[in-house]
Amino acid sequence: MRLRVEFTTEPFDLDEAPAHAVVAREVVEAAELDAVDVGPFGNTAEGGADQVLGAVDALLRRTLEAGATRISLQVNVVDAVGGGRGGEGER
C-alpha cells in the first residue's frame, strides 16, 4: 500500500524556521520515501506504508521534543495493493 502524508507543525515563524520545522524536514528527508515536498505552510511525503508510518512516528516524537505545540497531519491511501489510486468516492 502506498500512502501520502501531509503535515504542518506550529507555532509558525515567518522570519526564521523554528527548530521543530527543521527537525520535521530532517525526518522526512532522511526517511526512505519516494516523494518529499517541504514548504513554509505545508509539507507532503509519499511512499510505502511502512516507510510513511515510520516517518510519521518519528515526526511526531521528534518535533514535539523540538518545541512543536501543534502538529496537524492527514494520511491518505494513494495506491492500495491490487488496486488503482484510492481517492474519495472510489471503491
Side-chain angles (χ1 to χ4, degrees):
M1 178 182 326
R2 186 170 176 78
L3 302 176
R4 177 183 302 121
V5 61
E6 301 174 44
F7 65 92
T8 58
T9 61
E10 296 178 39
F12 293 114
D13 184 342
L14 296 177
D15 295 325
E16 184 177 334
H20 58 80
V22 173
V23 166
R25 182 179 329 135
E26 290 171 353
V27 168
V28 296
E29 288 178 346
E32 295 180 18
L33 301 171
D34 301 332
V36 174
D37 183 22
V38 177
F41 299 108
N43 310 284
T44 61
E46 196 170 303
D50 288 340
Q51 290 76 21
V52 170
L53 295 174
V56 166
D57 178 60
L59 174 80
L60 294 172
R61 294 174 189 276
R62 293 192 51 209
T63 57
L64 288 169
E65 290 171 358
T69 57
R70 178 180 174 134
I71 304 161
S72 301
L73 67 92
Q74 177 174 308
V75 177
N76 294 298
V77 174
V78 293
D79 189 11
V81 174
R85 295 184 68 79
E88 287 188 52
E90 188 173 306
R91 297 201 189 278

